[in-house]
Amino acid sequence: MTGADVFPAIAATWPPIGVQTIGPFLIPTPDEGGNRVRAARLADPHVDSALEHEIAAAERVMEDQGRAPLFQVLDTQSGLKSAFDQRGYIARDHTDMLLIPAEEIAAPPPPVTAFDIWPPLAVQAEIWDAGGIDRARRNVMNRVSVPKTSLFGRIADQPAGSAFIALHKDMAMLHALEVAPTVRRKGLAVHMMRAAAQWAVENGATWLCVLVTQQNEGAQRLYASLGMKPVGSYVYREKEGGMAQ
């Protein structure tokens, strides 16, 4: 399993509003739901490069959309990396793709600790909002067409956590895990991850995957403690001073 194998599950479980194909690239429709649904990427994640005129054509489409060019590049796409280096693009938000066989950590949570529920409750939206997962990102969840659910976490007799999980083929992707700051480091995130893996197994998934930036040390520790391993990474490439959000 490699990062290129994970990429289709990312696209299916956190999809853009729409895409157009420009040469070897997929260009998303402009959206406020974050870089994951805004960045252009190679349609075939196993391809490692693109021609100069193909990159230029993708840039023009995004500029015509009224935004700065933004690309998502896998660590294995060395030719594409070199091309963007030459074009003056910077790299940011280095993100690891972490994977584990779902059955290895699947376990029912303690009573009244974690529930799968769709649509999410209003209190979950409040938890997400407080963590920066705004309405635009929740709109991404709403348009996911593959099997999906949310996870609602409780601890100390209060609502405290929320997450989103969706299934693409044999891979369950967990997105938007948020635990209220006042109850962190009390075990709720672990219970929610095990509940996510339980949902994944019950819905036919073999793998559970999460995406986490390399600088997010707390999340990296959580996932490492569960035995999740990196299978690849990606970065966003943009020109210094670009408009990407």
Side-chain angles (χ1 to χ4, degrees), residues 129-143:
D129 273 334
I133 301 165
D134 58 13
R135 181 177 296 276
R137 286 166 172 78
R138 298 197 299 276
N139 286 340
V140 178
M141 304 176 197
N142 289 333
R143 65 175 174 253

Side-chain angles (χ1 to χ4, degrees), residues 44-137:
D44 183 348
H46 295 92
V47 171
D48 74 347
S49 62
L51 300 175
E52 285 294 315
H53 75 273
E54 294 171 332
I55 296 173
E59 289 174 328
R60 286 194 297 271
V61 169
M62 285 183 275
E63 288 166 352
D64 288 345
Q65 291 175 337
R67 61 191 181 106
L70 177 70
F71 295 85
Q72 190 179 32
V73 181
L74 282 165
D75 56 351
T76 52
Q77 294 172 328
S78 56
L80 200 57
K81 174 185 180 297
S82 296
F84 286 127
D85 286 344
Q86 294 171 11
R87 297 174 85 87
Y89 277 68
I90 61 171
R92 62 182 180 86
D93 296 342
H94 290 72
T95 301
D96 289 330
M97 294 173 274
L98 307 180
L99 204 66
I100 195 169
E103 64 180 8
E104 286 191 11
I105 62 169
V112 299
T113 299
F115 312 83
D116 61 272
I117 183 170
W118 192 265
L121 303 172
V123 68
Q124 291 177 260
E126 294 174 6
I127 293 168
W128 274 324
D129 273 334
I133 301 165
D134 58 13
R135 181 177 296 276
R137 286 166 172 78

Side-chain angles (χ1 to χ4, degrees), residues 164-196:
F164 175 77
I165 185 170
L167 180 66
H168 174 70
K169 296 183 178 178
D170 67 344
M171 186 172 297
M173 294 287 306
L174 184 84
H175 301 276
L177 174 61
E178 184 65 30
V179 174
T182 55
V183 293
R184 288 177 185 168
R185 298 181 181 85
K186 294 186 178 181
L188 179 59
V190 170
H191 291 316
M192 292 182 69
M193 288 298 299
R194 293 191 182 281

